[in-house]
């Protein structure tokens, strides 16, 4: 990685862990992490564990809190939904938006995801905008087209002066939870294309500041190769973030890559 972007390792816990489990896991991560810094570390537990997470993390500047989704509207009759302000009140700093599981199982469109990105930025939440192709799209040679549509669709009307608050996560759908990882070269090819699009969209200086994470079966055994690539600025970790030791190993890989 170049351009002094600070590596970011974020754990997406998905629908795992009760709040009692979350307390235990966050404490274990803090213990394992010690006073290591130099890498941004984020945990994204389910909504029901955010308050517990905020309490456990209150005294730690090393680890920040993220949510896995939110609604674009500020308040109102949206049963079952959560607003940006509700997240901010719990000291949440990041929010994952447009994850492929939201796109697939909850039919989220680029337009809807874009509304959420804008609402998050309005509330000073940093969106982690996820993009990535499905297996059949890769096989038909459409990877870059799909990623471009999702990326630019998610960033409509994002003002240039807030763009460096955005984090992009490239997550090839075929690599999520499958044990199949993109090779560092495959991932870098897409990250580099995203970097070009970001520079075109926001100008070179801002495009160079935006962090692009890789996600999809990233684990301690394959992290070093991925994190060594120029445009891979960290990881969005599913399965391996549910274990304190493997999650912290990924933070250590990022620290090593930035040294
Ligand atoms: P896995 O690391 O379990 O493949 O999940 C990746 C992911 O979807 C993170 O958002």
């Amino acid at each position: 990685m170049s351009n002094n972007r600070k590596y970011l390792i974020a754990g997406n816990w998905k629908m795992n862990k009760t709040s009692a489990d979350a307390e235990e896991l966050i404490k274990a991560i803090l213990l394992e992490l010690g006073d290591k810094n130099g890498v941004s570390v984020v945990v994204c537990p389910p909504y029901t564990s955010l308050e517990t997470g905020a309490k456990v993390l209150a005294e730690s500047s090393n680890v920040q809190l993220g949510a896995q989704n939110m609604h674009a509207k500020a308040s109102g009759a949206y049963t079952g939904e959560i607003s940006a302000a509700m997240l901010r009140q719990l000291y949440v700093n990041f929010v994952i938006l447009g994850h492929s599981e939201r796109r697939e199982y909850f039919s989220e469109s680029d337009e809807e995801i874009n509304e959420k990105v804008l609402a998050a930025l309005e509330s000073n939440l940093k969106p982690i905008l996820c993009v990535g192709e499905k297996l059949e799209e890769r096989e038909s040679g459409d990877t870059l087209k799909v990623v471009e549509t999702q990326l630019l669709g998610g960033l409509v009307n994002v003002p240039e002066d807030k763009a460096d608050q955005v984090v992009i996560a490239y997550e090839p759908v075929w690599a999520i939870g499958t044990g199949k990882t993109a090779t560092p070269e495959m991932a870098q090819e897409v990250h580099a294309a995203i970097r070009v699009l970001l520079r075109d969209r926001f100008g070179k200086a801002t495009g160079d500041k935006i962090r692009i994470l890789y996600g999809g079966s990233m684990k301690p055994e394959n992290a070093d190769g991925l994190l060594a690539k120029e445009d891979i600025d960290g990881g969005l970790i599913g399965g391996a973030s549910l274990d304190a030791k493997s999650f912290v190993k990924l933070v250590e890989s990022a620290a090593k890559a930035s040294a």
Side-chain angles (χ1 to χ4, degrees):
M1 184 187 57
S2 60
N3 285 87
N4 297 323
R5 291 181 294 270
K6 189 172 180 184
Y7 277 92
L8 195 165
I9 298 291
N12 174 9
W13 295 8
K14 309 193 180 184
M15 196 173 70
N16 293 294
K17 308 286 179 189
T18 63
S19 59
D21 297 337
E23 180 169 353
E24 199 177 310
L25 178 53
I26 295 175
K27 283 183 175 163
I29 289 171
L30 290 178
L31 201 66
E32 199 69 33
L33 206 54
D35 58 4
K36 292 185 197 84
N37 54 24
V39 175
S40 306
V41 182
V42 178
V43 289
C44 307
Y47 292 138
T48 47
S49 299
L50 288 172
E51 187 160 12
T52 302
K55 284 184 186 141
V56 178
L57 294 175
E59 287 174 18
S60 159
S61 57
N62 261 0
V63 177
Q64 299 179 80
L65 206 52
Q68 299 174 18
N69 183 31
M70 55 170 249
H71 196 276
K73 293 280 194 297
S75 63
Y78 300 98
T79 302
E81 294 294 325
I82 301 280
S83 74
M86 293 170 184
L87 297 177
R88 282 303 288 155
Q89 228 232 319
L90 293 176
Y91 305 100
V92 172
N93 283 319
F94 289 84
V95 60
I96 299 170
L97 295 174
H99 190 280
S100 62
E101 288 148 16
R102 302 286 325 165
R103 293 176 189 267
E104 174 79 12
Y105 306 135
F106 303 93
S107 307
E108 286 193 14
S109 65
D110 287 327
E111 291 73 24
E112 242 176 296
I113 294 161
N114 175 238
E115 285 175 18
K116 295 182 182 195
V117 168
L118 296 173
L121 289 170
E122 243 345 89
S123 293
N124 290 322
L125 275 171
K126 296 182 173 73
I128 303 178
L129 171 62
C130 302
V131 299
E133 81 287 0
K134 295 179 187 164
L135 184 60
E136 59 272 25
E137 293 164 337
R138 173 160 284 268
E139 284 172 346
S140 60
D142 290 331
T143 296
L144 297 182
K145 201 174 77 190
V146 168
V147 166
E148 175 171 354
T149 303
Q150 293 178 346
L151 181 79
L152 299 182
L155 294 175
V156 172
N157 291 331
V158 168
E160 207 184 305
D161 64 347
K162 287 202 172 166
D164 63 356
Q165 301 301 299
V166 176
V167 176
I168 307 298
Y170 168 57
E171 301 205 310
V173 178
W174 49 270
I176 295 177
T178 58
K180 289 185 202 150
T181 328
T183 62
E185 292 69 29
M186 282 160 91
Q188 168 59 22
E189 184 192 5
V190 180
H191 282 234
I194 292 173
R195 180 80 58 211
V196 170
L197 291 164
L198 293 172
R199 286 179 184 146
D200 285 351
R201 175 70 177 75
F202 298 115
K204 184 171 185 312
T206 303
D208 282 347
K209 275 192 208 157
I210 299 176
R211 291 178 287 191
I212 310 173
L213 314 182
Y214 169 79
S217 298
M218 193 165 174
K219 41 187 183 277
E221 303 81 70
N222 57 30
D224 287 352
L226 288 159
L227 293 170
K229 290 293 180 190
E230 179 166 354
D231 291 292
I232 302 185
D233 308 317
L236 183 54
I237 321 298
S241 73
L242 298 174
D243 175 81
K245 281 199 166 45
S246 64
F247 185 62
V248 171
K249 277 203 179 105
L250 292 165
V251 176
E252 286 163 357
S253 282
K256 201 167 65 185
S258 59

